[in-house]
Amino acid sequence: MAQLNLEDLVAIMRDCAGEDEHVNLDGDILDTLFYDLGYDSLALLQTTGRIEQEFDIVLDEDGITEAETPRALLALVNDCLAQAA
Amino acid sequence: MTRVGITGIGAVAPGGVGVKAYWELLTQGRSATRTITAYDPSPFRSRVAAEVDFDARAAGLGPQEIRRLDRAAQFALVSAREALASAGLTPGELDPDRTGVALGSAVGCTRSLEEEYVVVSDGGRLWEVDHRYAIAQLYGHFVPSSMAAEVGWAVDARGPAAVVSTGCTSGLDTIGYAAELIREGSASAMIAGSTEAPISPITSACFDAIKATTPRNDDPATASRPFDRTRNGLVLGEGAAFFVLEDIDAALARGAHVYAEVAGYATRCNAYHMTGLRMDGHEMAEAITVALAEARTDPSDVDYVNAHGSSTKQNDRHETDAIKQALGLEHARATPVSSIKSMIGHSLGAIGSLEIAACAMAIEHGVVPPTANLREPDPECDLDYVPVTAREHRTDVALTIGSGFGGFQSAMVLKRCPS
Amino acid sequence: MTAVITGIGVTAPTGLGTDSYWEATKAGRSGITPIDRFDASGYPAQLAGQVPGFTAAEHLPSRLVPQTDRMTQLALTAGAWALEDAAYEPDAFGEYGVSVVTAASGGGVEFGHRELENLWRKGKKFVSAYQSFAWFYAVNTGQLSIRHGGRGPCGTLVTEQAGGLDAVGQARRHVRRGTPLVVTGGVDGALSPWGWVAQLSTGLVSGTGYRPFGAEADGYLPGEGGAILVLEDAESAAARGIPAYGEIAGYAATLDPRPGLDAPPGLRRAAELALADARVTPSEVDAVFADAAGVPELDRIEAQVLCGLFGPHGVPVTAPKSATGRLFGGGAALDLAAALLSLRDGVLPPTPGVERPDHPIDLVTGAARELPLRTVLVLARGHGGFNAAVVVRAHHGKGAHPWRS
């Protein structure tokens, strides 16, 4: 079963929205707010849009809004993948 | 100081072609939003829009104009001609060299561009699109300035001409720009207005991608509900409004009727985000304050506020705060504020001009249009939004507000002109 | 009130950065090459002015790169250089003291092309969240405003190739009404197959070269790039101790009459109005940067205007844009930059690619020409009948450029 891990997510975020020069995305960021990682709502829409394309899933819209950290977003995506499987 | 007045108005709007039909729709509180008919909307998250029932022939366009012009340009020509006629003028009657054109548009000839793209790319198949299938007018669709030239040619204006493009405040900024050209003496009259016909698959797709448009597809007529607790996104619209702007003294001397004075205008940028708003609403409040100062009008003299009221969660709160900051809490609460986007949707670059037309009509007729579909007030939006039903209300000073992608925040003050 | 240019930033086919652009321009080096950004082999025209060696990630924050078209990346790069040149300090101008007014033509065309392809080839969910603003006409203004804190009156004007001058004219209005600093000019480009085919539809793109006013002129070539300029209130610039390249002394714009109408084109009127606005007579004009369409009929109209105003061979005329191609919203802004650099150095760059003009004008060809310059007229025309003219004048007041004082 397909799973999204942090490394994949960071790669997608870098590609979709670049990275803030003052942030180390390779550090311990699972519980850091996307806002503090330099990502705004637009960056997250682009990122989640890409995830939906790549995994051919549809994420819950309210869930996306509420997923404020990588851990929360990974959980949202992986739950969705588990249900789709 | 030269005072600039509106002496002619033309409109093409959802619900009707012509100012009369437009004003009837607004005062009846009717919504023109429906399931999109321009193309099959079924793949999209948001499938509703406020469309214009537009018969180009019946609206007076010739066969070559219809072939040559994108829908947005057709709207522009029809409304510019109506504006000229309503000013009691014929093409060339104003000194052509001293008459300019300003046309606002956020996305230009999007619809024709997409249609032509589909052909030259063979349905998206070819990256190296095939030039042998390109129409001669393609470049005219590519640069929105072609629409300003068309308007200039239609009314015989040969003074300064330009497209003003500031996203969703284009329709307001264009009139502000045009009024300034008259005040500084670069033109003695301006044919100014804005147009948009954005309802097209690529527009649906890009607004879907940022979830800006409403997913409320089951009941289109109530989909746009500014300031309502249950609002969840904007409804796309289309249309155009044009004006004849003149030096008021010159206009009165030729016996023209002045609908309203363009008394004050200002625009500011939030320098914050291409699509988002800073929550404090400072730039919008500043634009309103500066526009009022330019109009030498005390905030307490504002009789009616035509709000941007886009029906997005963020805007309507942000704007409510800005109105309170600029007018003062007490007067803000005592003043009718309404959003006509509840009825005609959000026609991007055109809406600002359509809203100015609504303000001029409100001054003219002593009626303010309602905010349709406002049934459950949002506790954070606590002004008098004229819910559902138009209201008789003498308006001598109207304030209209716009906000757009790119961070643009604009405001204009229109005043009754003593004849 | 005097409005002066205190900063110039250039991204052009002939050079990245003002200095490399100006060296190439004075030397008459061309930036026209066969298109290598896409496969142009199937098209009847294959030459363009492409900005060489530009990698966005080397010039812009990583967060901005995915959300911007190439022309916006070039604009942001030029904008940062222009503001650096003007020794801009973000907080020195008051809360609403900085504005942005740029010219545009087709928006972020390459970005838009990719998203149209995503929609029509793959489906709607492949369309970027950035498409809603990355392609639209106001994008460069919005992005420059965000990056540099421009919270004053901002906007975008579109008059195709005349836009660079109209933007500066509007910027000058803002300065006169009290905004001390305006970021203006234009950078543009549409070098994707979709943008190329749109150009080809005019029937005016040359298959062989861009030789304005030449006997062999058979059309123009498109290019990408342009210039961002910093326009300031002269007193504010002087107070900051910032030297000025020159003053925007006059500006005017007109629209041609409807095709077929028996009335003269509006270019001469624009030039005359701009001269009147600057309070100078034609005899005081030291040089003209021409629109130089490269289309024989349009060249003839412009040559007639020049002869009518200045007499045959009456003033040195140049068109360094033959080395860059026509840059749409960026072209007239780049011409203005070249005119200001000419004022600074007392040298007029040549018109590469043209050996001898086919019109009775004193076209600077071959080598650059050294001559004292005080007042220069810049002309521009946009597709559909737009005319604009700007008069730039050496600024000798307080804060004059050290090169000239």
Side-chain angles (χ1 to χ4, degrees), chain A residues 14-21 37-40 42-43 45-47 49 52-54 56-58, chain C residues 57 60-67 111 115 118 122-133:
Chain A
R14 277 196 173 114
D15 190 46
C16 285
E19 64 186 303
D20 193 297
E21 275 73 4
L37 293 172
Y39 294 112
D40 55 12
L42 203 53
L45 283 166
Q46 181 73 358
T47 301
E52 289 183 334
Q53 291 162 22
E54 289 194 1
D56 197 21
I57 50 173
V58 177
Chain C
L60 297 177
S62 153
R63 286 281 286 109
L64 275 174
V65 176
Q67 60 173 276
F111 199 105
E115 298 311 324
N118 282 340
K122 300 182 195 163
K124 81 113 193 162
K125 71 176 181 182
F126 290 85
V127 172
S128 164
Y130 307 129
Q131 163 71 359
S132 60
F133 60 85

Side-chain angles (χ1 to χ4, degrees), chain B residues 331-351:
Chain B
H331 189 64
R333 290 219 166 108
T335 306
V337 175
S338 67
S339 168
I340 62 171
K341 291 186 185 75
S342 57
M343 296 170 278
I344 62 166
H346 187 353
S347 43
L348 310 184
I351 191 68

Side-chain angles (χ1 to χ4, degrees), chain B residues 103-179:
Chain B
L103 182 144
S105 176
V107 299
C109 305
T110 283
R111 191 153 152 171
S112 297
L113 283 173
E114 183 167 11
E115 285 168 7
E116 296 309 319
Y117 165 78
V118 170
V119 174
V120 296
S121 69
D122 200 14
R125 212 172 50 78
L126 303 171
W127 174 250
E128 276 86 21
V129 295
D130 192 337
H131 65 283
R132 293 169 303 173
Y133 286 87
I135 55 169
Q137 298 83 18
L138 182 58
Y139 194 64
H141 296 328
F142 220 71
V143 286
S145 39
S146 60
M147 297 196 286
E150 289 283 353
V151 169
W153 297 341
V155 301
D156 200 5
R158 308 176 206 166
V163 161
V164 176
S165 192
T166 44
C168 299
T169 60
S170 301
L172 240 165
D173 297 331
T174 300
I175 309 309
Y177 175 82

